[in-house]
Amino acid sequence: LLPLSLFDPRETLLCLRIEEISSQLTILRQLGVKKISDPTEIISHLLQQRSDPARALAVAKRFGGADKFGGSLMNECQTQLWENGRDVQALKLVSDDVYVVNEILELDSNIKGDMTVYEDMALDDLRQVYREAYNRCEKLSAVKNGIDPQWIQYNALRFSDAIRRIGTFQLLQRQYKSKGDVDDNRVSSAATNRFLRGFRHFPLSMIASSAASRGEIDALTLLFARHPMPIQTRMKILDLIPLDTEISRYEHLLPCFVQGSSSDGNFLLKAENHHSYCFDALQLFSHYCAMQQEEQFPFEVFVDELDKDYLLSNYRCCDQGCDANQSISREEISLWYLRRAIDIHNRTGLILLVRQLTESALSRLSVQILRGTEDNGAVGHVVYLYACAELLNHILVDKMKESFSFDFWTATRELFTTVLEFCSMELSTAVPFILESSNSSMYNLSLFQKHVEPFVCDDEVLVPMKSNSASRADLASKIENDLIDMCLNRFTSLCQQTQKVN
């Protein structure tokens, strides 16, 4: 250190630095620290010449912050921290609301641009950024500032949709990771990039359709619960579920008809006490949230409490094309059930699935099973298809059991038929089908009475019994008479063939 008398008045400290060039030559260099009385000069130097906004911000805070230097200098520090290092906390401290909104708009629209600056940003940080932009839109809309209110409202909806989609994306990743479909490296690396380039901009109906076509019911349930869709859209997506999928796996997603319900329709859930509860989309999401908190749900429907609270308070703000004035008739929903049941029947031949689907349909169309309907439209067809599938299913099961008790191989040719063939059978064909290929006449009689009792026999087909039909006693008597007539006709036919009378 040198004596104070040698100090330059512009310097606060003077010293000598010894630099040894060689063993014969030594250089003494006089150095001094420049004295700066104005901290603003230091901050500007750090920002402009050294590009060190973090240090500039620390100096500004030490000397009084925004109260001392004003908001513009602090904003400059914060904006550089955001633009250089994507510092989320720095962006949240920028006081310029329009700047924050425009920055996130650029991020949200930059599908084909350079995303490398965002690759290290976690999805939780990205969710914070969108939430901050949404809050700035809310702030701008609360005051008169000369900004187009439609521009503010449009961007608020856009950011709200992004916040919800990020949560859905995270939850889907957790589902696939838990099933082993995605490895840890793929989950953690460049997730933000994949979200911004793909999931953020794909139509949700397309994402749901992809899940449905692969039979991923948990993913489909998550999408329906977090993103309300018009019931017509939901039915088109449900049509993509493989036809051989067990009905019980997606029964909770099937469409319901409730008079005066919203355009996104309702859901019917069965509780453990066998009671059924009808929910709209928001109630369904709330119900699943409660089950998740009680650890009674097989997967998650919200990321954290912040995500859950946000969705509950903003659930309807970005409905996927839901029109409050758009409704769907009972006939339209019935036709959907009817077409899907026939497709299941034609392509899989699984009578049990036909019965299960039509049974679910009747409970969702407010039709009491096996009490019939006067409706000659699609609802009546669903009732009839259920009744025939139920009857035929029991008949085939009982005939199969009996065949195993006797000679199965000689009996199987008489066992199998389709529901649609059975529906169109005349009575003269249906009754022999039920009774033939059995070795026990008493068993035939009990089988026939057991299964045909809920039906009325007219001249051509078996018709489901209506509530105003004859009493069970009268019906049993009629079936007995029909059975006697059938046996006599059969006996007469055999006699004519053999020309023998015993």
Side-chain angles (χ1 to χ4, degrees), residues 69-358:
F69 306 104
S72 59
L73 184 62
M74 301 296 289
N75 272 347
E76 189 175 355
C77 294
Q78 307 287 10
T79 54
Q80 281 201 26
L81 281 171
W82 163 253
E83 291 171 4
N84 296 342
R86 299 304 165 190
D87 189 321
V88 176
Q89 296 305 317
L91 181 69
K92 293 170 73 172
L93 292 173
V94 174
S95 61
D96 188 344
D97 298 328
V98 176
Y99 170 82
V100 174
V101 171
N102 284 328
E103 279 293 299
I104 308 310
L105 277 178
E106 182 181 354
L107 179 153
D108 195 53
S109 306
N110 192 16
I111 303 176
K112 298 182 180 179
D114 182 14
M115 291 288 184
T116 55
V117 292
Y118 302 108
E119 285 186 352
D120 294 331
M121 184 185 293
L123 286 171
D124 285 332
D125 291 336
L126 188 63
R127 188 151 51 100
Q128 285 190 55
V129 165
Y130 276 110
R131 194 183 299 276
E132 184 65 25
Y134 175 80
N135 292 336
R136 298 303 178 99
C137 287
E138 294 285 290
K139 184 178 176 183
L140 287 171
S141 65
V143 296
K144 294 182 179 180
N145 44 29
I147 301 175
D148 184 1
Q150 290 185 347
W151 180 83
I152 297 174
Q153 183 182 14
Y154 170 78
N155 289 326
L157 289 173
R158 182 171 180 170
F159 296 144
S160 179
D161 178 61
I163 294 167
R164 187 180 305 208
R165 280 178 179 249
I166 291 174
T168 303
F169 182 71
Q170 289 178 286
L171 293 168
L172 287 174
Q173 280 198 320
R174 291 179 188 179
Q175 278 193 22
Y176 293 128
K177 181 181 176 181
S178 66
K179 295 176 182 178
D181 295 339
V182 180
D183 58 44
D184 290 341
N185 293 330
R186 191 176 168 196
V187 167
S188 58
S189 66
T192 299
N193 195 0
R194 293 201 307 278
F195 173 80
L196 290 173
R197 287 187 183 276
F199 194 91
R200 172 70 187 96
H201 303 283
F202 291 153
L204 284 167
S205 58
M206 184 183 79
I207 298 170
S209 296
S210 176
S213 62
R214 295 196 300 268
E216 294 170 353
I217 306 302
D218 287 351
L220 190 60
T221 302
L222 175 67
L223 288 164
F224 281 178
R226 288 179 62 94
H227 303 271
M229 302 180 190
I231 189 170
Q232 292 89 343
T233 302
R234 279 175 35 215
M235 291 193 297
K236 291 178 182 178
I237 293 170
L238 291 172
D239 262 334
L240 300 175
I241 296 176
L243 295 172
D244 58 352
T245 305
E246 285 289 336
I247 306 301
S248 58
R249 289 190 58 206
Y250 62 96
E251 185 178 21
H252 58 288
L253 301 178
L254 292 174
C256 298
F257 175 77
V258 177
Q259 192 70 41
S261 64
S262 59
S263 61
D264 53 24
N266 292 78
F267 302 84
L268 190 70
L269 303 186
K270 291 182 179 179
E272 292 182 356
N273 57 7
H274 303 294
H275 290 169
S276 297
Y277 301 93
C278 190
F279 296 136
D280 63 18
L282 175 57
Q283 292 170 332
L284 179 75
F285 177 73
S286 302
H287 175 70
Y288 285 160
C289 286
M291 292 183 66
Q292 178 179 331
Q293 289 176 316
E294 296 172 2
E295 299 182 352
Q296 296 179 354
F297 207 56
F299 58 88
E300 298 172 310
V301 292
F302 63 88
V303 180
D304 50 32
E305 288 296 320
L306 200 62
D307 178 55
K308 182 193 73 172
D309 294 341
Y310 178 81
L311 256 70
L312 289 175
S313 58
N314 298 275
Y315 193 79
R316 300 287 183 188
C317 71
C318 47
D319 287 5
Q320 300 300 311
C322 291
D323 182 358
N325 298 319
Q326 184 183 16
S327 61
I328 187 168
S329 67
R330 190 174 186 229
E331 186 77 4
E332 290 177 274
I333 297 178
S334 303
L335 280 172
W336 181 86
Y337 278 111
L338 191 62
R339 293 189 187 106
R340 183 159 179 87
I342 292 174
D343 283 345
I344 290 175
H345 173 270
N346 288 340
R347 299 186 188 181
T348 70
L350 298 173
I351 299 173
L352 182 60
L353 294 187
V354 175
R355 186 192 67 77
Q356 291 173 346
L357 180 66
T358 49

Side-chain angles (χ1 to χ4, degrees), residues 376-419:
N376 293 322
V379 178
H381 284 81
V382 173
V383 173
Y384 187 72
L385 188 59
Y386 165 76
C388 287
E390 172 81 355
L391 173 62
L392 182 59
N393 183 68
H394 285 307
I395 289 170
L396 295 183
V397 168
D398 284 346
K399 289 167 76 72
M400 185 71 74
K401 289 178 181 177
E402 188 199 9
S403 297
F404 277 113
S405 302
F406 299 98
D407 186 358
F408 173 72
W409 300 109
T410 60
T412 50
R413 63 182 182 83
E414 304 288 351
L415 286 179
F416 303 107
T417 190
T418 67
V419 176

